[in-house]
Amino acid sequence: MSGATSRRKGQKAEQAVAKMLRAWGWAARTSRSVQGVQGGADLITDCPLSIEVKDHQRFELAAWLEQAVRQAGPGRPGVVFAKKRGKGNPEDWYAVMRVADLLELVRQVR
């Protein structure tokens, strides 16, 4: 797959996640639509997560999660939304985060 095709696929996945977050009541836009270039987290959102969106055939969860955590700001856990093959709706995709971050979020809502 060419670099341009891969970028388009990634942009489409980011746009789908942003649309889903807006449907759930969060403000969300792709960082590309705001900045014109990719840098930092894939989405700019008021959701309390730093979201990295991935649409790849092969999963590289450890590297992706490391990237999400590195890009997350203080108090914003990094999470990877990874597209599940055959599923266009991001609500059916996978979300991957560190257990400590998940437990902290659960503790906050408890």
Side-chain angles (χ1 to χ4, degrees):
M1 178 180 312
S2 75
T5 301
S6 181
R7 279 190 298 279
R8 277 194 301 277
K9 190 169 79 164
Q11 288 174 325
K12 184 176 175 183
E14 290 167 11
Q15 291 166 349
V17 171
K19 181 178 178 181
M20 176 201 63
L21 289 172
R22 288 191 301 270
W24 277 85
W26 303 103
R29 296 183 290 172
T30 67
S31 61
R32 291 175 213 252
S33 70
V34 174
Q35 301 164 345
V37 295
Q38 184 64 42
D42 289 339
L43 300 176
I44 296 171
T45 178
D46 60 352
C47 175
L49 302 169
S50 179
I51 301 170
E52 187 66 30
V53 179
K54 298 295 183 182
D55 181 1
H56 293 267
Q57 193 92 22
R58 246 180 83 196
F59 278 31
E60 297 181 28
L61 296 178
W64 296 344
L65 186 55
E66 185 177 302
Q67 177 184 6
V69 168
R70 187 176 56 251
Q71 293 172 168
R76 288 176 64 98
V79 62
V80 176
F81 286 13
K83 185 174 183 193
K84 183 177 181 181
R85 293 289 125 226
K87 300 291 182 178
N89 183 346
E91 291 179 356
D92 296 324
W93 297 2
Y94 303 108
V96 180
M97 64 189 324
R98 295 183 307 189
V99 170
D101 292 333
L102 173 64
L103 293 175
E104 177 60 25
L105 287 173
V106 171
R107 187 189 63 76
Q108 291 176 18
V109 298
R110 182 166 56 159

